[in-house]
Amino acid sequence: MSVRNLQRLFAPRSVALIGASNQPDSLGTTLLDNLLQGGFKGKLYAVNPKYERLGELDCYAGVPDLPEAPDLAVICTPPATVPQIVRQLGERGTRAAIVLSSGMARARDARGRSLRQAALDAAHPYLLRLLGPNSAGLLAPGLGLNASVAHAGALPGRIAFVSQSGSLMTGVLDWARTRGIGFSHFISLGDSSDVDLGDVLDYLASDGHTGAILLYVEQLRYARKFMSAARAAARSKPVLVLKAQRQIDAVRPVASESGALASEDDVFDAAIRRAGMLRVDTTEQLFAAVETLAYARPLHGERLAIVSNGAGPGVLARDALFLAGGKAAQLSPESHVLLDALLAPGWNAVGTVNLYGGSPPERYRAALEVVLKDAQVDAVLVVHSPTANVDSAEVAKAVASLAGSASRPLLSCWLGGASVQEARAIVSNARLPTYRTPEDGVAGFLQMVNYRHNQNLLMEVPPSMSGAMAPDRAGARALVQEAIRAGRLLLSDPETKAILRAYGLDLVETRSAPDVDTAVAAARAIGFPVAVKILTPDVMHKSDFGGVTLDLDSEEAVRAAAGRMRRRLQELFPQARFDGFSVQSMCRRAHAHELIVGAATDPVFGPVLVFGQGGVAVEVTDDHSVGLPPLNLVLARDLVERTRVARLLAGYRNRPAANLDAVNAVLVQVSRLISDIPEIVELDINPLLADSSGATVLDARMRLAMADRSGSTLDRLAIRPYPRELEQTIEWQGAPLLLRPIRPEDGPAHMAFFAALTPDDIRYRMFVRIRELQPSQLARFTQIDYDREMAFIATRKNADGVAETLAVGRVVADPDNTSAEFAVTVRSDLKGMGLGKIMMQRLIDYCRARGTREIVGEALPQNSRIVGMVKKLGFEVKIGEEGVREMRLPLH
């Protein structure tokens, strides 16, 4: 990932059009016209050896003839000429180019390279960034830059639109202009041979002119890069995604039910949710969501109150809320009393606040004030239908007057056309979201709910898994390697359970038996009753042909059942391999739920986890959710709550609730297993029996594959898991001290650490005085992207055996890994004991190993202790603005 030289691409001071022309309908003519008519504030150059002048511009024969190196070059020449032009631009000093030429992936040069690769090779030595090829260009309306083939320009605004489709660009621009929607940038990625979604997200995340980012996505290639950039961007501004091709799944070869359930679209949904972004289904929803999220106040709950001047529109809104699974607010008794005094009898007849058609603007305002102050209301949607005796514009002014004082989101719907156009403009100018139908208003609210939920997953600090067994990673790896050496890539139930046992999962006693006699002996040793299942890697659903028999209570019954299974397999599947039998103790749990927990491998995002309703009908019930590892308890709980079976697990009638802590713990441990052992490509635990006493694995199977050793085994994961390899134990003050990366579960210890700091130490770290950490700050400090930043903590157990944080060293690198900013904080009562130097040296070693070029930091003038320490470690220290000490250590 890299934002290097992207400033030249998206905010150039000069632009050269290579291939400029005046031929009708040519690409060069369209681009030249757009550049000239856009009002670009910088210098424009035309390049084409056929002309001496084009319109008001001098035309230069080639790149070497230009009077200066342009910041940005726009190339629209034949594909074969592009690599040479890119090389000339690099030599001249240009550092960004847009390539509109198409067909470069298929065409070859004299060396056999694709022309796309040849252009990349030509750009690489000069760090010249390429947008495209096959790009439709970009627009930066704030600069007057229209370096695109769009037939119309864009209005200036604070929305960045990034599209993988060039043809969509022109349509969306036209659609947005008719609705007055403006943009900070409009970018067509083309083939993304160099600059891709991840790079653009990184740039736009820190762009002060961009308030929201919209993505149109067709496919992704680099999941880790995209997820890191998306998670960083979503923390700073709304990121919304319109993903095309929902039904693209072909029949994929899978050996597990989890692999069949985890569709590519499910996986993409899981990635968007994990990154804190919002996915929408249509272009109109995309822009409506921007207005909703940009205008509305933050949402702190999910209960919507509906206020309408007629029963019909209010009922339509309420129906839409129920159909979508939303929650209607129930007004408090105090609000009922106040509204009874304001409104006509029957105002609450349909569960909404019905103002009736003739309500004056003052009544709107008074009723909305009551509802907005109700503690049982999280948001309010006001629906207005035009009437003959009330001016809609005056009603809008009354509603808009509440924009500044409302403590909850206030949304509005104005039914009708020309008669409510002025009303819509009034509330929109007051920065209140407005919609054309009640259903649209409810959809906007539910987008806020989904966005809030996804953002909360970024911010919520998970509890620690107290009592969780430390996995036997070495033992599990040994079992996997033994199976691979023996050529057993599809593991049976007993083999899979041996690996799961190493990760602490509760299992039903199970034994393998190569033949009938051994199966009988195994049943005798386990104790009756038992279940017997045939082992064959070639038939997924064994119960379909009688390959599973339950409640066998004697040796004779086991012998008969095993023989019958063997014969049925030979009759129905003569080519299927026979690997023996699995014999297991019958698990009698009358109120247990059958669940599925599994893993599969997505071609883009790598390992994914599956949870849902299990049993033999798992594919028919189709009740499942998909998530990306690694999981913590918060993410595991979310995975469970997104299924229908979650409501059954909560208990009903005389059936007690299942032990959800045990279910969540299984998900976390399976996530660890999948993260730790790259050879596991598919896993089914089906069923996992869950009831009030816990969660037990009944049946399991696993598919292995040789791990790709071309790079780090962690590269296959879309999100880098906790880097256990960076843990280090040292001696300090006569006792062992653990230096390790911070984890989300360290939230409570981090709060205690912060509470132990003096006000001055907090100010030295934050540059401002803060009494306590807010939940969002705590999440930001403890839930880090290990690909982007690192925070080491020094920790040890106190006299009560509780782990406590003594010091924190943090470093955040830019996307290019050129410069990393550091901060070190030591608990106030432990200063002067060498901990600061230990943490600083750990950061230096980490950055040097990672290839970071320099470490930088800032300190207040009063913080002489940190300045003195870093000087001893070789830092250069300079005095900056307002006396701030600027510290820098070159590493390479």
Side-chain angles (χ1 to χ4, degrees):
M1 62 195 71
S2 176
V3 295
R4 188 170 300 172
N5 292 329
L6 290 189
Q7 185 74 13
R8 307 276 191 94
L9 178 64
F10 298 125
R13 293 164 299 182
S14 57
V15 177
L17 174 60
I18 302 173
S21 175
N22 62 8
Q23 295 296 314
D25 301 323
S26 71
L27 192 59
T29 300
T30 300
L31 283 161
L32 182 60
D33 289 344
N34 283 346
L35 283 167
L36 290 171
Q37 294 170 14
F40 179 55
K41 298 176 177 60
K43 296 179 180 177
L44 283 176
Y45 301 105
V47 178
N48 192 325
K50 297 179 181 179
Y51 306 97
E52 292 185 358
R53 193 167 180 83
L54 283 170
E56 61 191 60
L57 297 179
D58 290 332
C59 192
Y60 299 89
V63 171
D65 302 302
L66 288 168
E68 65 172 338
D71 276 355
L72 172 65
V74 182
I75 304 173
C76 59
T77 59
T81 66
V82 173
Q84 177 63 21
I85 291 171
V86 169
R87 181 174 295 104
Q88 291 175 342
L89 288 166
E91 292 171 348
R92 191 66 198 276
T94 297
R95 294 295 175 260
I98 305 171
V99 181
L100 289 90
S101 313
S102 60
M104 293 183 63
R106 297 182 299 273
R108 301 284 165 176
D109 68 0
R111 294 168 54 185
R113 297 174 299 176
S114 70
L115 293 179
R116 181 172 69 180
Q117 186 60 49
L120 282 174
D121 292 345
H124 181 72
Y126 309 101
L127 300 178
L128 190 156
R129 306 307 305 274
L130 296 179
L131 180 66
N134 199 29
S135 169
L138 69 85
L139 297 92
L143 300 175
L145 176 65
N146 183 354
S148 77
V149 296
H151 68 289
L155 298 173
R158 292 183 52 78
I159 298 172
F161 192 101
V162 186
S163 175
Q164 287 187 329
S165 167
S167 57
L168 183 71
M169 170 190 257
T170 55
V172 169
L173 277 173
D174 199 34
W175 184 91
R177 179 174 277 276
T178 63
R179 287 160 175 78
I181 298 170
F183 299 93
S184 63
H185 299 84
F186 206 111
I187 304 163
S188 168
L189 292 173
D191 293 344
S192 297
S193 60
D194 173 27
V195 177
D196 63 9
L197 271 176
D199 299 323
V200 174
L201 275 172
D202 272 326
Y203 177 84
L204 294 174
S206 58
D207 177 46
H209 301 291
T210 298
I213 303 170
L214 312 187
L215 306 178
Y216 171 77
V217 180
E218 292 181 345
Q219 61 179 348
L220 291 172
R221 283 181 291 181
Y222 308 112
R224 173 79 70 86
K225 177 179 179 180
F226 172 76
M227 289 299 292
S228 286
R231 293 168 75 197
R235 287 185 184 274
S236 62
K237 56 194 68 173
V239 182
L240 291 85
V241 182
L242 175 60
K243 171 69 165 65
Q245 299 176 330
R246 279 188 176 268
Q247 303 297 326
I248 60 173
D249 286 333
V251 177
R252 295 183 293 173
V254 293
S256 66
E257 288 156 334
S258 297
L261 293 175
S263 71
E264 290 181 20
D265 202 63
D266 285 341
V267 175
F268 187 83
D269 265 345
I272 294 304
R273 186 179 300 107
R274 183 68 174 271
M277 301 184 290
L278 178 67
R279 184 178 184 181
V280 297
D281 296 322
T282 67
T283 307
E284 189 143 8
Q285 285 181 3
L286 193 67
F287 288 101
V290 169
E291 180 183 1
T292 302
L293 299 179
Y295 284 0
R297 292 184 179 276
L299 185 66
H300 299 294
E302 301 182 5
R303 299 165 298 183
L304 178 68
I306 299 166
V307 179
S308 173
N309 68 335
V315 171
L316 288 175
R318 190 174 173 88
D319 287 349
L321 186 66
F322 285 150
L323 286 171
K327 298 179 182 178
Q330 303 297 323
L331 298 180
S332 67
E334 295 79 7
S335 294
H336 274 263
V337 171
L338 293 172
L339 291 172
D340 283 340
L342 280 172
L343 307 177
W347 62 265
N348 194 33
V350 290
T352 64
V353 179
N354 185 1
L355 304 179
Y356 294 99
S359 291
E362 297 79 14
R363 191 175 299 163
Y364 274 84
R365 180 183 172 92
L368 285 171
E369 285 179 334
V370 172
V371 178
L372 284 166
K373 291 177 182 177
D374 194 315
Q376 296 179 194
V377 172
D378 299 311
V380 179
L381 171 65
V382 56
V383 182
H384 173 80
S385 301
T387 59
N389 57 341
V390 178
D391 187 346
S392 296
E394 293 302 315
V395 173
K397 291 176 184 177
V399 173
S401 68
L402 297 169
S405 60
S407 59
R408 293 168 174 78
L410 175 58
L411 298 80
S412 66
C413 164
W414 304 86
L415 278 168
S419 62
V420 293
Q421 188 171 348
E422 183 182 357
R424 287 198 190 103
I426 290 169
V427 293
S428 183
N429 289 336
R431 297 187 64 80
L432 290 177
T434 180
Y435 307 92
R436 295 178 179 271
T437 68
E439 294 84 356
D440 288 344
V442 169
F445 168 72
L446 293 175
Q447 285 178 334
M448 294 174 64
V449 170
N450 291 335
Y451 181 71
R452 171 181 176 267
H453 182 77
N454 294 352
Q455 284 282 300
N456 285 347
L457 288 180
L458 278 179
M459 302 300 180
E460 191 170 352
V461 176
S464 62
M465 287 182 61
S466 56
M469 187 195 95
D472 178 12
R473 296 180 179 86
R477 282 196 182 100
L479 291 170
V480 168
Q481 291 301 324
E482 179 185 348
I484 289 177
R485 283 193 296 270
R488 300 193 313 277
L489 298 183
L490 192 60
L491 301 189
S492 65
D493 175 72
E495 292 174 309
T496 302
K497 285 179 177 173
I499 296 169
L500 297 177
R501 187 176 293 110
Y503 275 72
L505 273 64
D506 184 43
L507 307 163
V508 172
E509 184 178 359
T510 305
R511 301 190 182 189
S512 296
D515 52 42
V516 173
D517 290 337
T518 313
V520 172
R524 187 188 313 119
I526 291 173
F528 297 101
V530 297
V532 176
K533 305 170 186 179
I534 199 164
L535 297 178
T536 172
D538 300 319
V539 183
M540 183 182 299
H541 302 295
K542 300 173 183 60
S543 58
D544 291 352
F545 73 93
V548 178
T549 306
L550 309 178
D551 284 310
L552 299 173
D553 56 6
S554 67
E555 295 184 14
E556 292 74 16
V558 170
R559 187 179 299 280
R564 185 168 57 252
M565 291 179 199
R566 183 76 177 92
R567 291 190 296 274
R568 290 285 290 172
L569 181 67
Q570 289 177 323
E571 292 170 4
L572 298 177
F573 303 98
Q575 304 302 318
R577 287 167 289 176
F578 169 68
D579 291 342
F581 302 96
S582 169
V583 183
Q584 66 183 48
S585 173
M586 279 300 302
C587 186
R588 299 187 183 280
R589 294 165 73 163
H591 295 295
H593 299 270
E594 290 191 337
L595 307 174
I596 182 171
V597 171
T601 302
D602 182 77
V604 175
F605 289 93
V608 297
L609 300 167
V610 176
F611 171 82
Q613 188 168 352
V616 296
V618 60
E619 293 172 13
V620 177
T621 56
D622 193 25
D623 175 24
H624 68 279
S625 59
V626 175
L628 301 183
L631 294 184
N632 55 40
L633 287 176
V634 167
L635 296 169
R637 185 183 66 206
D638 174 68
L639 200 60
V640 173
E641 289 175 348
R642 286 191 281 112
T643 58
R644 298 189 302 274
V645 76
R647 287 176 284 181
L648 300 178
L649 295 174
Y652 57 95
R653 290 162 65 176
N654 65 339
R655 194 164 182 175
N659 186 339
L660 290 177
D661 289 341
V663 174
N664 293 338
V666 169
L667 284 165
V668 172
Q669 292 295 77
V670 168
S671 167
R672 290 175 176 173
L673 171 65
I674 298 304
S675 299
D676 289 343
I677 304 180
E679 291 83 0
I680 300 174
V681 292
E682 289 184 56
L683 168 67
D684 272 346
I685 299 173
N686 183 25
L688 174 75
L689 296 184
D691 58 16
S692 58
S693 64
T696 301
V697 176
L698 204 58
D699 291 324
R701 61 188 284 152
M702 180 182 292
R703 185 167 72 87
L704 308 176
M706 294 295 292
D708 181 7
R709 301 298 180 184
S710 60
S712 168
T713 57
L714 295 177
D715 288 345
R716 76 195 200 287
L717 295 163
I719 300 172
R720 186 181 179 185
Y722 174 76
R724 190 173 293 103
E725 67 278 6
L726 296 178
E727 292 182 350
Q728 180 184 11
T729 300
I730 64 171
E731 286 292 317
W732 179 72
Q733 299 293 310
L737 182 71
L738 176 61
L739 305 180
R740 64 165 175 82
I742 202 166
R743 291 192 294 245
E745 292 82 1
D746 290 320
H750 204 76
M751 286 290 286
F753 169 75
F754 186 86
L757 298 178
T758 66
D760 278 345
D761 284 341
I762 294 173
R763 186 166 65 91
Y764 293 160
R765 170 65 181 90
M766 305 284 195
F767 281 41
V768 293
R769 294 192 182 276
I770 297 176
R771 289 188 175 183
E772 62 181 22
L773 285 179
Q774 297 301 311
S776 59
Q777 292 173 309
L778 180 62
R780 187 67 191 89
F781 286 148
T782 57
Q783 300 183 36
I784 64 175
D785 184 340
Y786 298 115
D787 255 2
R788 292 286 184 100
E789 57 189 303
M790 183 55 63
F792 290 102
I793 64 170
T795 179
R796 69 179 179 189
K797 291 185 178 180
N798 60 22
D800 297 325
V802 177
E804 56 182 0
T805 299
L806 309 183
V808 180
R810 189 177 301 273
V811 65
V812 181
D814 61 38
D816 294 319
N817 197 30
T818 300
S819 181
E821 185 174 357
F822 81 90
V824 171
T825 310
V826 176
R827 208 172 71 184
S828 298
D829 61 330
L830 298 176
K831 285 187 171 183
M833 302 173 71
L835 262 181
K837 183 178 179 181
I838 290 172
M839 301 308 294
M840 192 69 240
Q841 189 61 56
R842 187 71 187 92
L843 293 179
I844 293 171
D845 293 342
Y846 168 78
C847 288
R848 184 170 279 126
R850 196 169 180 265
T852 310
R853 292 179 178 272
E854 65 175 8
I855 300 179
V856 299
E858 292 183 342
L860 291 174
Q862 301 91 333
N863 195 358
S864 57
R865 189 184 294 270
I866 186 72
V867 173
M869 181 188 73
V870 300
K871 280 183 176 179
K872 293 177 182 178
L873 292 170
F875 277 74
E876 305 166 358
V877 179
K878 296 181 180 179
I879 300 177
E881 295 182 6
E882 299 182 3
V884 170
R885 272 40 175 184
E886 298 175 349
M887 303 169 286
R888 177 178 178 272
L889 177 67
L891 297 178
H892 295 278

